[in-house]
């Protein structure tokens, strides 16, 4: 199964964003730094978090109009695929939403400025209890997300190196795995035409 | 008062050199403030230290090196001129802590100067911040080791922002704010 160019582009941009957000979230809450740098990193994290949230909705909409790859043969694998997919989609939505709740609930009442352009509205009233709840939800959801992403990547690598199928290459940019599909058909036609032209001339 | 300490002696000498007449005058002399740096540090739980400076400072000094207690200080700082290294943090502090729109200035006016030793004085005065005026004492170290050079002052003190009605984000952001003012004073005309 080969994904469309749009599906691939959406997959890899969200992947890069989410991995970046996991790393940034981890660093900005733990590393030793002055408050000015931390403030800017938090704002960056929140802004990119909203980009990720927006892209996830785009991906969902896109997915409903496009077919997903055919399910695997074995029952266990089918179940694992379904669970993994449900988990990843749920976390793609809940991770940023819980972050939004965290930022809104913060007793510091720091406005969330989308790349410094405009203020994003708050979704929860600020307060210590709400913040404690939202921030631990954001922590555990993103930790679970990171674990699931590791499993997701491990599964893709297993398909490629152990099963030797095209599950991984199906999500990679085309030129990596050589021409196939429509492009291949088009190339074959061109070659055929070339042969015809040649045979006519000589 | 006898100037027994070396640095006060040097100060007097520096003033003497700078005075056209060549003799130290007994009355307080006006000084121009050059390179005033008004900085603060405040701690927080989990976010690190915030260090900031105010870029727009106007100061008037009237100094009497023979009788430091006759000296006077009057500083006005534009609250909007805060700089922390993050523009968004500046905006946040201006709005949430300083209310810079309603209180565009803070001011310190000395009411008493007490000599501690040859190079230190305690300056007590009224600090107006966030619309509230309260007494504040800062420890000032005086450095005028080189003849003919501007006199350097470094004042340090601590305020409790809650006493000035600035209660936002407590206790995550500490109540105590350390203040440090460094100035160079040159004799005025
Ligand atoms: C896919 C999207 C996101 C991912 C993967 C992500 C990941 C993370 C991670 C790993 C942390 C560190 C958690 C901890 O150690 O406490 C974190 C913290 C944080 N995130 Fe996100 N985040 C995302 C979206 C967002 C969004 C959209 C916002 C806000 C609008 C946000 C706001 C925050 C805040 C305020 C913190 C600090 C929480 C605290 O101080 O306890 N995040 N994020």
């Amino acid at each position: 199964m080969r994904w469309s160019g749009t599906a691939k582009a959406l997959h890899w941009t969200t992947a890069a964003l989410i991995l970046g957000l996991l790393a940034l979230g981890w660093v900005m809450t733990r590393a030793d730094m002055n408050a000015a740098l931390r403030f800017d990193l938090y704002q960056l994290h929140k802004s990119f978090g909203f980009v990720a949230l927006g892209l996830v909705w785009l991906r969902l909409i896109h997915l409903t109009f496009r077919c997903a790859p055919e399910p695997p043969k074995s029952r266990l694998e089918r179940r694992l695929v379904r669970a993994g997919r449900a988990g990843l989609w749920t976390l793609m939505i809940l991770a940023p939403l819980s972050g939004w709740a965290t930022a809104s609930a913060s007793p510091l009442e720091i406005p969330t400025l989308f790349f410094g352009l405009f203020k994003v509205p708050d979704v929860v009233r600020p307060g210590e209890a709400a913040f404690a709840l939202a921030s631990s939800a954001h922590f555990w959801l993103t930790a679970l997300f990171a674990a699931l992403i590791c499993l997701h990547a491990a599964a893709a690598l297993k398909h490629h190196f152990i099963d030797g199928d095209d599950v991984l290459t199906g999500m990679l940019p085309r030129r990596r795995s050589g021409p196939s599909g429509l492009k291949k058909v088009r190339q074959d036609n061109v070659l055929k035409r070339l042969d015809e032209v040649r045979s006519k001339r000589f | 008062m006898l100037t027994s300490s070396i640095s006060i002696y040097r100060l007097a000498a520096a003033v003497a050199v700078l005075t056209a007449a060549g003799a130290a005058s007994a009355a307080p002399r006006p000084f121009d403030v050059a390179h005033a740096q008004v900085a603060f540090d405040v701690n927080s739980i989990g976010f690190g230290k915030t260090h900031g400076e105010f870029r727009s400072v106007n100061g008037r000094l009237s100094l009497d090196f023979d009788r430091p207690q006759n000296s006077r200080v009057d500083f006005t700082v534009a609250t909007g001129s805060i700089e922390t290294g993050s523009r968004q943090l500046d905006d946040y502090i201006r709005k949430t802590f300083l209310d810079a729109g309603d209180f565009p200035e803070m001011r310190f006016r000395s009411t008493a100067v007490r000599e501690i030793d040859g190079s230190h004085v305690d300056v007590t005065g009224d600090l107006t911040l966030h619309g509230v005026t309260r007494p504040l004492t800062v420890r000032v170290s005086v450095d005028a080791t080189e003849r003919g050079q501007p006199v350097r002052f470094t004042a340090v003190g601590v305020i409790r922002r809650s006493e000035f009605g600035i209660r936002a984000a407590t206790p995550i952001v500490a109540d105590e704010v350390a203040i440090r003012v460094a100035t160079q004073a040159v004799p005025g005309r």
Side-chain angles (χ1 to χ4, degrees), chain A residues 17-76:
Chain A
L17 268 172
I18 287 162
L19 290 178
L21 283 163
L22 286 169
L24 182 54
W26 186 265
V27 168
M28 74 183 192
T29 49
R30 279 164 185 79
D32 183 35
M33 62 182 90
N34 63 41
L37 177 58
R38 200 184 306 277
F39 198 91
D40 284 345
L41 291 184
Y42 266 66
Q43 290 292 356
L44 214 58
H45 179 83
K46 295 191 282 183
S47 297
F48 276 113
F50 278 112
V51 174
L53 184 59
L55 278 179
V56 165
W57 287 111
L58 260 184
R59 274 189 84 180
L60 255 181
I61 292 164
H62 182 255
L63 192 76
T64 55
F65 293 112
R66 300 278 162 151
C67 58
E70 63 228 60
K73 300 270 171 318
S74 98
R75 252 174 85 93
L76 174 70

Side-chain angles (χ1 to χ4, degrees), chain B residues 1 39-40 46 82 86 121 129 131 136 165 182 184 188:
Chain B
M1 189 202 72
F40 69 88
I82 188 172
S86 157
V121 288
L129 167 62
L136 169 72
Q184 292 189 15

